[in-house]
């Protein structure tokens, strides 16, 4: 696409709900908000527009996304600081900027709209493309390299654990057999292979049978769960008292991890039956969502990618952890 062609309108997932969830924590002038997953900058633009007193620090591991968002957020000048980093590096990013604490953190996990829509990134199983799947194409193994070099055991493990794929062992066996004939390079061949490896009765339900395999490869290539496992505690540590964290997850593995951290912070560590609970054993987080909130029909109509979202919101209510 040439630079002169206008980009299609990007509708951020559950935009107003995220803004409203952060609002009580970031309304005061001088509040700092971290957009941990900048993407195309839709959430950041809305926050900077609706809260003219905030400073935004936004990170993304994808240089292409940072370039596009820099243009989008340029009108906000020095109020927006964009950094090429992965979201588990937020504590270091804030330290480098001399920011001791923040009032809001937003995570919109998974693959960005831009990454899904650009065929040559290889994220979408619906179109043939090079098997890359790296969110940052300047580093790390591509999906093709994973498929062509991992052992049967490692392939089966990531398909089962990250893709929750029932036929992980069978798919791994077919991958090894087929790569011996010719290395994997593009997505269409993998989609066809997975389709043929899965029993016909299973193929008739649950959408594209390659969906789980592609999810597993993407998580492995980008180390998504390991990164998230470091990122949530790091973000919570950066929150000031009264600060809020908003997390949108797109699959159960992400949501489970987020839930564990937020619930742990919102639970007392005192033994049962203690007549008086000292402050250091009291919860240090307050949950603002009962379980995970789902997108409304209107939100899904506005952006179909909101359909699988699980949204969780928590607030830091005291300085020290239990």
């Amino acid at each position: 696409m040439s630079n002169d062609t206008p980009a299609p309108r990007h509708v951020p997932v559950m935009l107003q709900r995220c803004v409203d969830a952060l609002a009580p924590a970031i309304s005061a002038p001088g509040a700092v908000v971290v957009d941990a997953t900048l993407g195309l900058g839709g959430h950041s633009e809305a926050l900077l527009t609706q809260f003219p007193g905030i400073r935004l620090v936004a990170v993304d591991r994808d240089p292409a996304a940072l370039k596009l968002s820099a243009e989008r957020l340029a009108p906000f000048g020095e109020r927006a600081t964009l950094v090429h980093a992965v979201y588990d590096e937020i504590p270091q990013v804030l330290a480098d900027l001399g920011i001791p604490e923040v009032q809001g953190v937003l995570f919109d996990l998974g693959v960005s709209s831009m990454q899904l829509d650009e065929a040559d990134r290889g994220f979408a199983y619906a179109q043939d493309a090079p098997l890359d799947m790296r969110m940052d194409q300047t580093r790390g193994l591509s999906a093709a390299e994973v498929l062509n070099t991992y052992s049967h055991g490692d392939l089966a493990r990531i398909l089962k654990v990250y893709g929750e794929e029932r036929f992980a062992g069978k798919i791994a066996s077919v991958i090894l057999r087929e790569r011996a004939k010719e290395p994997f390079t593009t997505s269409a061949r993998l989609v066809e292979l997975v389709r043929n490896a899965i029993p016909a009765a299973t193929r008739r339900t649950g959408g594209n049978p390659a969906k789980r395999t592609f999810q597993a490869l993407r998580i492995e290539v980008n180390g998504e769960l390991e990164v998230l496992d470091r990122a949530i505690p790091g973000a919570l540590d950066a929150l000031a008292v009264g600060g809020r964290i908003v997390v949108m997850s797109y699959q159960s593995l992400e949501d489970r991890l987020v839930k564990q951290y937020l619930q742990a912070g919102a639970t007392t560590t005192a033994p049962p039956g203690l007549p008086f609970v000292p402050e250091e054993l009291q919860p240090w987080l307050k949950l603002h969502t009962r379980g995970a909130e789902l997108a409304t029909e209107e939100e899904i109509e506005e952006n179909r990618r909101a359909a699988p979202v699980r949204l969780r919101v928590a607030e830091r209510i005291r300085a020290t952890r239990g």
Side-chain angles (χ1 to χ4, degrees):
M1 187 168 69
S2 75
N3 292 337
D4 299 327
T5 306
R9 178 174 173 264
H10 167 59
V11 181
V13 172
M14 296 170 76
L15 175 62
Q16 197 55 46
R17 187 134 38 136
C18 291
V19 171
D20 291 344
L22 288 167
I26 65 173
S27 297
V32 179
V33 182
V34 174
D35 186 342
T37 46
L38 176 61
L40 288 172
H43 290 99
S44 282
E45 182 182 49
L47 289 165
L48 287 161
T49 302
Q50 295 188 40
F51 301 95
I54 70 166
R55 177 184 179 186
L56 177 97
V57 176
V59 305
D60 205 293
R61 61 166 69 178
D62 188 336
L66 282 166
K67 184 174 183 294
L68 289 170
S69 290
E71 296 169 8
R72 182 175 192 165
L73 302 180
F76 299 100
E78 293 183 355
R79 291 180 57 211
T81 302
L82 278 53
V83 182
H84 181 215
V86 188
Y87 44 70
D88 64 339
E89 298 171 319
I90 286 170
Q92 187 59 50
V93 169
L94 294 174
D96 290 345
L97 293 170
I99 299 172
E101 59 183 18
V102 302
Q103 283 66 45
V105 183
L106 172 67
F107 284 89
D108 182 9
L109 301 172
V111 191
S112 77
S113 301
M114 183 195 72
Q115 290 161 343
L116 280 171
D117 293 339
E118 288 192 356
D120 63 358
R121 302 296 291 269
F123 286 101
Y125 44 80
Q127 49 195 344
D128 194 20
L131 278 165
D132 193 320
M133 297 193 196
R134 289 173 297 167
M135 292 177 180
D136 180 352
Q137 291 182 304
T138 66
R139 64 178 84 174
L141 290 178
S142 68
E145 289 171 300
V146 169
L147 287 168
N148 292 325
T149 63
Y150 276 30
S151 68
H152 179 277
D154 284 341
L155 282 172
R157 174 184 56 80
I158 67 170
L159 292 173
K160 182 176 182 179
V161 176
Y162 296 160
E164 300 179 287
E165 173 57 73
R166 281 193 294 153
F167 304 100
K170 186 174 183 184
I171 293 171
S173 295
V174 177
I175 288 171
L176 260 67
R177 186 186 73 213
E178 291 300 313
R179 81 185 189 192
K181 300 175 186 176
E182 183 184 348
F184 283 92
T185 57
T186 60
S187 55
R189 182 179 171 213
L190 179 62
V191 170
E192 188 64 21
L193 178 153
V194 172
R195 189 187 305 276
N196 293 335
I198 289 175
T202 306
R203 292 202 299 265
R204 287 193 283 270
T205 59
N208 193 312
K211 178 181 179 180
R212 292 179 294 276
T213 294
F214 272 64
Q215 174 180 299
L217 284 170
R218 192 200 80 219
I219 291 172
E220 173 69 12
V221 164
N222 296 290
E224 288 177 42
L225 293 179
E226 294 94 333
V227 170
L228 185 61
D229 199 18
R230 296 187 294 268
I232 297 298
L236 290 172
D237 281 344
L239 273 186
V241 174
R244 290 191 176 198
I245 184 171
V246 176
V247 186
M248 287 185 286
S249 305
Y250 290 76
Q251 37 94 352
S252 59
L253 297 170
E254 292 173 339
D255 183 55
R256 203 174 302 147
L257 201 54
V258 174
K259 174 185 175 182
Q260 287 170 357
Y261 279 113
L262 299 190
Q263 284 195 336
T267 304
T268 178
T269 53
L274 209 64
F276 169 75
V277 179
E279 184 181 345
E280 65 269 16
L281 301 182
Q282 292 175 7
W284 57 280
L285 290 179
K286 177 183 178 182
L287 304 182
H288 285 282
T289 44
R290 288 191 61 181
E293 291 185 0
L294 309 180
T296 63
E297 287 182 15
E298 292 78 13
E299 286 167 332
I300 294 171
E301 195 172 309
E302 190 173 48
N303 185 340
R304 60 185 174 79
R305 287 173 182 153
V309 169
R310 302 291 183 269
L311 177 108
R312 295 182 186 270
V313 182
E315 175 186 347
R316 185 160 197 153
I317 55 174
R318 64 186 183 85
T320 53
R321 290 189 179 209

